[in-house]
Amino acid sequence: MITKTSVSKILGHKNIQTTQHYAKIIDKKVSEDMQILKDKFTIDSKNKKTQVS
């Protein structure tokens, strides 16, 4: 795993808080996208069961 310190340096951030800020935004977005994906699979799964019956 790459540390936030390394990412901060790679991106040229002078302050680690800048990297942490973007990391929080990305974490939130990934979480939201995963929920959308989970919901889609749940709906698809329910529809398949209905069609098979």
Side-chain angles (χ1 to χ4, degrees):
M1 175 179 273
I2 300 172
T3 65
K4 286 182 186 176
T5 304
S6 294
V7 172
S8 181
K9 288 180 182 180
I10 290 167
L11 295 175
H13 295 158
K14 295 184 188 312
N15 190 324
I16 190 73
Q17 282 81 11
T18 303
T19 307
Q20 290 172 330
H21 172 77
Y22 287 111
K24 287 178 187 175
I25 292 170
I26 290 169
D27 286 346
K28 182 179 179 197
K29 176 68 173 142
V30 168
S31 179
E32 290 169 353
D33 290 348
M34 290 302 294
Q35 185 61 48
I36 290 168
L37 190 59
K38 179 182 174 190
D39 292 346
K40 178 172 176 28
F41 279 112
T42 301
I43 291 168
D44 287 350
S45 176
K46 288 178 182 178
N47 288 340
K48 286 183 180 182
K49 288 177 185 174
T50 304
Q51 291 172 357
V52 173
S53 299

